[in-house]
Amino acid sequence: IAGITQAPTSQILAAGRRMTLRCTQDMRHNAMYWYRQDLGLGLRLIHYSNTAGTTGKGEVPDGYSVSRANTDDFPLTLASAVPSQTSVYFCASSDETGIGYTFGSGTRLTVV
Amino acid sequence: DQQVKQNSPSLSVQEGRISILNCDYTNSMFDYFLWYKKYPAEGPTFLISISSIKDKNEDGRFTVFLNKSAKHLSLHIVPSQPGDSAVYFCAASLQLSDYKLSFGAGTTVTVRA
């Protein structure tokens, strides 16, 4: 089934540890995005990539980094996790029309 | 500061009646608007969209209205069904420059049988 695969589905992480959230798509979409969902704040853009080899900062990029080595993969790395990064993280992609993102099922991350 | 606002965090409606979800935005440059629906433990799914050159778009039971002068859009669901119980996110983008979406905080709809 075409779509976006995120891993892990959930994780409890000790503060200060490094963590990479994985995201893979099989739709050959050029653009990919990472959002975090927090109660009362909705979905906020962390980082994005318009095409392989390029990345950009979103609304809340601090403490996160991304890479886009190829079209299909867009990992999100927390270099040193802090409790405020406890959230649900969604990866998404869109084609060149930009109309209607396809989202993954999310990764629930708890930093303790 | 959030550029897309959904001021009603929740809405409860009787099955068969109309659900009206509201969304306001502050950036007058937004030219494309979307609604997403989200069930628990799933990612958001695209529901319906509208371009800024239109004031209404309809798809089955779902209709989105856009009032550019008021910077306001709304989603109407008629008739509401139990399966419509979900969180609904309003989103906006600047298509001429990029496709990044700005989302509202979401409205949780509960349809009562």
Side-chain angles (χ1 to χ4, degrees):
Chain A
I1 297 176
I4 292 187
T5 302
Q6 289 187 239
T9 54
S10 67
Q11 180 76 44
I12 299 174
L13 186 68
R17 297 298 294 268
R18 180 184 179 90
M19 173 78 188
T20 295
L21 309 185
R22 300 185 298 279
C23 174
T24 299
Q25 55 120 343
D26 61 3
M27 297 169 286
R28 308 302 292 172
H29 284 170
N30 282 328
M32 297 187 75
Y33 315 86
W34 274 105
Y35 284 85
R36 58 178 288 174
Q37 182 194 3
D38 301 289
L39 193 63
L41 297 174
L43 294 155
R44 293 180 294 168
L45 182 65
I46 305 171
H47 284 287
Y48 66 95
S49 169
N50 287 332
T51 189
T54 68
T55 62
K57 293 182 180 180
E59 185 183 351
V60 288
D62 295 342
Y64 306 94
S65 63
V66 292
S67 62
R68 187 88 184 276
N70 56 63
T71 298
D72 299 341
D73 301 299
F74 191 43
L76 176 74
T77 297
L78 289 69
S80 178
V82 295
S84 63
Q85 291 177 311
T86 293
S87 187
V88 181
Y89 291 85
F90 288 100
C91 180
S93 71
S94 67
D95 63 18
E96 62 276 6
T97 69
I99 299 173
Y101 287 9
T102 298
F103 281 87
S105 298
T107 294
R108 181 173 295 275
L109 180 67
T110 304
V111 182
V112 297
Chain B
D1 191 29
Q2 279 194 299
Q3 299 185 74
V4 179
K5 300 180 181 181
Q6 294 175 256
N7 293 319
S8 297
S10 63
L11 172 69
S12 180
V13 63
Q14 190 86 31
E15 181 179 2
R17 305 296 289 268
I18 185 172
S19 294
I20 299 177
L21 291 77
N22 294 303
C23 178
D24 297 293
Y25 60 96
T26 58
N27 189 342
S28 59
M29 298 300 292
F30 284 142
D31 53 12
Y32 206 81
F33 305 89
L34 308 91
W35 286 93
Y36 282 80
K37 178 178 181 179
K38 185 186 178 304
Y39 293 118
E42 295 183 10
T45 56
F46 171 72
L47 186 59
I48 192 169
S49 64
I50 189 167
S51 165
S52 60
I53 63 174
K54 296 185 176 181
D55 56 17
K56 176 183 175 181
N57 188 28
E58 190 172 354
D59 184 1
R61 296 184 297 113
F62 303 92
T63 302
V64 57
F65 296 93
L66 176 63
N67 183 335
K68 284 195 298 180
S69 61
K71 297 193 187 68
H72 177 84
L73 63 154
S74 62
L75 175 68
H76 293 208
I77 308 173
V78 183
S80 300
Q81 299 174 353
D84 296 331
S85 295
V87 179
Y88 290 79
F89 291 101
C90 173
S93 73
L94 291 159
Q95 278 204 289
L96 290 179
S97 59
D98 59 49
Y99 301 116
K100 300 192 296 291
L101 293 179
S102 296
F103 284 86
T107 297
T108 300
V109 172
T110 303
V111 180
R112 307 186 310 273

